[in-house]
Amino acid sequence: DCHESWFGGFDEHYKEEMRYYALAVLANSLQLLSSHGVKMHLVIHSEKWLGNNGLLFALISKLTHAEKRPHNAYQAMRCLNTIFGVSPKARARGIELGAQAWLVLSRRIGRSSHALLEEESDSAMKTLTGASVRPSLISRLHSI
């Protein structure tokens, strides 16, 4: 029992750190594959990526915790930028999953505490919408 209370927080901290590193490895791998002309859309268009509980959904859900875990949100955003950049189908699915709202929220959190998260959020929003972040969208989503 003594050891359990002593190491109780360590286990959760370790898990969170491993999640961060997994996201970083995924982001780096996606960027590397994309930069070398690998036809990633052939893989991305599968149910495991775009399905209701697929990787795209999991990455977007990481943005919901951006305030508590901005570094994880940053790595998830890097992944989303690459995925959205190579696949119109992934962009459409991201919109269906409500990614725009979480991108705006991540951008706001990034602006106040994590500059890289803000940059990646801006880039993802531009890729997702094909335009700059609209001020009207930002003002509507500030109430989230």
Side-chain angles (χ1 to χ4, degrees), residues 85-107:
V86 300
S87 172
K89 190 172 180 179
R91 285 192 297 272
R93 183 65 177 139
I95 291 169
E96 287 175 16
L97 293 171
Q100 289 175 300
W102 297 112
L103 295 176
V104 171
L105 180 66
S106 294
R107 181 178 184 267

Side-chain angles (χ1 to χ4, degrees), residues 27-40 82 86:
N28 290 338
S29 299
L30 289 171
Q31 285 181 337
L32 182 69
L33 291 170
S34 174
S35 69
H36 283 82
V38 174
K39 297 181 182 190
M40 293 173 34
T82 302
V86 300

Side-chain angles (χ1 to χ4, degrees), residues 51-62:
N52 289 335
N53 291 315
L55 184 59
L56 187 66
F57 175 81
L59 291 169
I60 292 169
S61 71
K62 292 292 179 199

Side-chain angles (χ1 to χ4, degrees), residues 10-76:
F10 175 78
D11 191 42
E12 191 56 39
H13 175 76
Y14 177 76
K15 287 178 189 175
E16 211 41 59
E17 206 168 301
M18 290 298 102
R19 286 184 190 110
Y20 169 79
Y21 288 125
L23 286 167
V25 167
L26 180 60
N28 290 338
S29 299
L30 289 171
Q31 285 181 337
L32 182 69
L33 291 170
S34 174
S35 69
H36 283 82
V38 174
K39 297 181 182 190
M40 293 173 34
H41 65 278
L42 299 173
V43 175
I44 290 172
H45 291 173
S46 73
E47 187 68 19
K48 290 180 181 178
W49 283 69
L50 301 181
N52 289 335
N53 291 315
L55 184 59
L56 187 66
F57 175 81
L59 291 169
I60 292 169
S61 71
K62 292 292 179 199
L63 304 181
T64 66
H65 305 290
E67 196 162 13
K68 289 182 182 178
R69 298 182 186 97
H71 300 299
N72 287 9
Y74 164 67
Q75 296 299 340

